[in-house]
Amino acid sequence: MVGLKVYADRMSQPSRAVILFCKLNRIEFEEIKVDLTKRQQLSPEYKEINPMVQVPAIVDGRFKLFESHAILIYLACVFPGVADHWYPADLTRRAKIHSVLDWHHSNLRRGAVTFMINTTLGAALGIPMNPQAAAEAEKLLSSSLSKIESFWLKGNGKFLLGSLQPSIADLSLVCEVMQLELLDEKEKIRILGPYKKVQQWIESTKNATMPYFEEVHAILFKVKENLQKQRSNEMKVPSLSKL
Amino acid sequence: MVGLKVYADRMSQPSRAVILFCKLNRIEFEEIKVDLTKRQQLSPEYKEINPMVQVPAIVDGRFKLFESHAILIYLACVFPGVADHWYPADLTRRAKIHSVLDWHHSNLRRGAVTFMINTTLGAALGIPMNPQAAAEAEKLLSSSLSKIESFWLKGNGKFLLGSLQPSIADLSLVCEVMQLELLDEKEKIRILGPYKKVQQWIESTKNATMPYFEEVHAILFKVKENLQKQRSNEMKVPSLSKL
C-alpha cells in the first residue's frame, strides 16, 4: 500500500488535529498508533520516521514529514477537494494563519503542555512533576488564552482571525485547549472560566467538525473519567500522609 | 508612502533574518527601529502594529503581519523575482522547510534565546538572569545543534535539508545561531566547537548572502566588542566582592 500513513497517539493534541483534518476532508489514511505511555516513539522503527521522536508524523508514499502544522499545510495543498477555508489560497489570509500557528508554538502550546505535564499527565508519561514549572506554565497558558480572547478572536466571525469558517489554525489550537478537559472540573473552570469567547470558539469548532470531533476526542474523555474516579477514591480513602 | 515597512531591532535574530531576506531579494522597504533596550516594543503605537509586543513586524500597505517565519513566507510569495530556492513552489520541498521552521520554535530558538538572556543579555533587557534556567537552556541548545548537525544537515548540499542553495530556513536558523557570537570566545568554542557541519553551514550561509550578511550583523559585532572590553576590564580591576 502506498497510501497516506498517519503515526499518532490521540492523547497528543497535534495528533488529534491531523486525524481530525483527514476525517473532515475525507482523506483516506491508515492510522498507526505510537503509544506515548509505552514510549513507542523511542523505538528504532519510529526514529526512522521521525528522529525527533514526537507524534504525529506522516508517510505519504516515499515522503516522510513531521511537525503537525507542516503536515496540515501539506495535506491541505496536495489532497484535492480540501475546501479553501482550511488553508486559503489568498496570500494575506494564508499569512495570517501562518502567524497564528507560529505564535501558537511558544505561547498556548508551550503553556498548556507544560502545565498539563506538571499537574496531571507527568506520572503516566514517566516525567517528574514540578510545581514551580506548573506555576510558570499556568501564567503562560492564561496569558495565551487572554490573547486568543482579546486579539485572535476579534471580529464578527466565530473563528480565529474573525473568520466565518474554521481553518487549520482553529483545529490546531482547539485540539490544544481540549487537553484542559483532563483537569479536575474546578481547576478547569478556574482556568478557562474568564474567557467567554474562547469557550464559544471551542463550541463553534466542535459544531463545525461534528461528528469527527467527538470521535477523535473520545479517548480524552475516557481518560478524564478514569482520572475523576481516581480523584474521588483519593477523597474517600485517607491518604498515607494523613495516617 | 504605501510601501513595505519593517519594524525591527537588528539585535533580534528574527529581525535580522527578515531584513537580510529583503536586501538579498532587492525588496524595497523602510526599516523602522523598535529599540528593545529602550522597551519601545511596549509603546502604544507599536502595540497597534503587533499586540504581542515582539519584533519583527511588517506593514505592507494596509496589511499588518508579525511572526518572522510568516513574514518570510509572505514576502517570498508576494514579491516578484524572489528565486525559487528561498521558498520552493514544489510542495514536498516547501513542506520540509515548514517542518524545519516549526521545529525551530521549541528547540534551537527556545534554547538559544533562553541561554543568551540568562548568561549575557538579561541585564541590557532588564530581565533577571537565572543560572538554573541557563543550564537547562544550554541542554536544549546543545541538543538542537546536535540535531542540526546529524539530521537537518544530512546529505551532500551545504544547506539545511541537503539543499544546494539556501532557503528561508537557513536564514532564520543561522541568524539565530549568530547570537552566540556575543559569548566570551571560550564559551562560544565550548558550545559550538563539537558541531563541525554547523560551523561550515554558518560559513556557507554567510558566503551565499554577502555582502548583506555582514551588514545586517554589524551591530552584533559592535556589541560583541563592547562586551569583550567589559570582560577584560573586569579581569584587570579587582571586583568589589574581592576587596
Side-chain angles (χ1 to χ4, degrees):
Chain A
M1 178 173 165
V2 287
L4 177 69
K5 293 181 184 184
V6 177
Y7 293 80
D9 181 332
R10 292 188 185 196
M11 283 301 289
S12 116
Q13 304 74 253
S15 291
R16 289 198 298 273
V18 167
I19 293 168
L20 188 51
F21 182 82
C22 289
K23 289 184 178 266
L24 286 162
N25 290 288
R26 305 192 187 288
I27 295 171
E28 275 188 45
F29 68 102
E30 182 189 351
E31 183 177 342
I32 297 155
K33 181 160 182 177
V34 181
D35 192 329
L36 299 179
T37 63
K38 293 183 185 153
R39 300 187 155 238
Q40 286 176 350
Q41 77 276 24
L42 303 176
S43 74
E45 297 76 30
Y46 189 66
K47 277 186 184 165
E48 284 295 311
I49 290 157
N50 183 0
M52 306 304 175
V53 298
Q54 290 179 320
V55 284
I58 62 167
V59 177
D60 187 21
R62 285 182 307 173
F63 180 66
K64 295 179 200 168
L65 188 66
F66 57 85
E67 284 292 338
S68 68
H69 297 166
I71 293 171
L72 289 167
I73 292 173
Y74 172 79
L75 296 175
C77 291
V78 299
F79 282 89
V82 173
D84 187 69
H85 64 85
W86 291 113
Y87 185 59
D90 176 86
L91 292 177
T92 57
R93 291 177 63 204
R94 187 170 277 197
K96 291 282 189 182
I97 289 174
H98 292 156
S99 180
V100 179
L101 291 173
D102 284 327
W103 173 85
H104 180 37
H105 284 285
S106 308
N107 293 281
L108 178 65
R109 174 150 185 76
R110 183 165 159 192
V113 167
T114 316
F115 182 72
M116 291 305 294
I117 284 179
N118 285 290
T119 56
T120 313
L121 291 173
L125 297 168
I127 302 169
M129 297 201 268
N130 173 341
Q132 199 199 328
E136 278 167 30
E138 190 185 323
K139 273 188 215 161
L140 182 57
L141 170 58
S142 293
S143 74
S144 301
L145 291 169
S146 165
K147 287 289 182 202
I148 297 174
E149 179 93 0
S150 65
F151 181 72
W152 294 119
L153 286 172
K154 252 193 333 198
N156 293 324
K158 290 177 177 175
F159 300 100
L160 296 172
L161 303 165
S163 301
L164 300 173
Q165 286 179 290
S167 75
I168 55 172
D170 294 281
L171 291 189
S172 177
L173 274 66
V174 168
C175 285
E176 193 72 47
V177 176
M178 281 302 289
Q179 66 183 312
L180 300 178
E181 286 294 335
L182 296 179
L183 293 171
D184 169 57
E185 201 61 17
K186 256 190 172 166
E187 267 295 271
K188 191 186 94 181
I189 292 169
R190 185 177 69 79
I191 289 182
L192 269 180
Y195 308 107
K196 303 298 175 204
K197 286 176 93 171
V198 169
Q199 291 170 43
Q200 283 162 16
W201 162 65
I202 297 167
E203 280 310 304
S204 301
T205 305
K206 270 186 198 173
N207 293 335
T209 59
M210 285 295 188
Y212 305 110
F213 193 94
E214 299 288 337
E215 184 189 328
V216 171
H217 285 84
I219 188 174
L220 200 73
F221 289 102
K222 211 172 148 187
V223 171
K224 181 188 172 100
E225 220 175 278
N226 289 340
L227 285 169
Q228 277 169 340
K229 274 185 208 153
Q230 269 181 35
R231 284 185 198 114
S232 71
N233 285 341
E234 278 163 18
M235 283 173 68
K236 280 179 209 150
V237 182
S239 75
L240 274 177
S241 63
K242 289 189 188 158
L243 291 178
Chain B
M1 179 172 163
V2 287
L4 177 69
K5 292 181 183 184
V6 177
Y7 293 80
D9 181 332
R10 293 189 184 195
M11 282 302 289
S12 115
Q13 305 72 252
S15 291
R16 288 198 298 274
V18 168
I19 294 169
L20 188 52
F21 182 81
C22 289
K23 288 184 179 266
L24 285 162
N25 290 288
R26 306 192 186 288
I27 294 171
E28 276 187 44
F29 68 103
E30 183 189 350
E31 183 178 342
I32 296 156
K33 181 159 182 178
V34 180
D35 192 329
L36 299 179
T37 62
K38 293 182 185 153
R39 299 184 156 242
Q40 287 177 349
Q41 77 276 24
L42 303 176
S43 74
E45 297 77 30
Y46 189 66
K47 277 186 183 165
E48 284 294 310
I49 290 157
N50 182 0
M52 307 304 175
V53 298
Q54 290 179 321
V55 285
I58 62 167
V59 177
D60 188 22
R62 287 182 307 173
F63 181 65
K64 293 179 202 169
L65 189 65
F66 57 85
E67 285 290 339
S68 68
H69 297 166
I71 293 171
L72 289 166
I73 292 173
Y74 172 78
L75 296 175
C77 291
V78 299
F79 282 88
V82 173
D84 188 69
H85 63 85
W86 291 113
Y87 186 60
D90 177 85
L91 291 176
T92 58
R93 291 177 62 206
R94 187 171 278 198
K96 290 283 190 182
I97 289 174
H98 292 157
S99 180
V100 180
L101 291 173
D102 283 326
W103 173 85
H104 180 37
H105 283 285
S106 308
N107 293 283
L108 177 65
R109 173 148 187 77
R110 184 166 159 190
V113 167
T114 316
F115 181 72
M116 291 305 293
I117 284 178
N118 284 291
T119 55
T120 313
L121 292 174
L125 296 168
I127 302 169
M129 297 200 269
N130 174 341
Q132 199 198 328
E136 278 168 30
E138 188 184 324
K139 272 188 215 161
L140 182 57
L141 170 59
S142 294
S143 75
S144 301
L145 290 169
S146 164
K147 287 288 183 203
I148 296 174
E149 179 94 0
S150 65
F151 181 72
W152 294 121
L153 287 172
K154 250 192 335 197
N156 293 325
K158 290 177 176 174
F159 300 100
L160 297 171
L161 302 164
S163 300
L164 299 174
Q165 286 180 289
S167 76
I168 55 172
D170 294 281
L171 290 189
S172 178
L173 275 67
V174 168
C175 285
E176 193 72 47
V177 177
M178 281 302 289
Q179 66 184 312
L180 300 179
E181 286 294 334
L182 296 179
L183 293 171
D184 169 58
E185 201 60 18
K186 256 188 171 169
E187 267 295 271
K188 191 185 92 181
I189 292 170
R190 185 176 70 79
I191 289 182
L192 268 179
Y195 307 108
K196 303 298 175 206
K197 285 176 94 171
V198 169
Q199 292 170 43
Q200 284 161 16
W201 162 63
I202 297 169
E203 279 311 303
S204 301
T205 306
K206 270 186 199 173
N207 292 335
T209 58
M210 286 295 188
Y212 305 110
F213 193 93
E214 299 288 336
E215 184 190 327
V216 170
H217 285 84
I219 187 173
L220 200 74
F221 288 102
K222 212 172 146 186
V223 171
K224 181 189 173 100
E225 220 175 279
N226 290 340
L227 284 170
Q228 276 169 339
K229 274 185 208 154
Q230 269 181 36
R231 284 184 199 115
S232 70
N233 284 342
E234 278 164 16
M235 282 174 68
K236 279 179 210 148
V237 182
S239 74
L240 273 178
S241 65
K242 288 188 188 160
L243 292 178

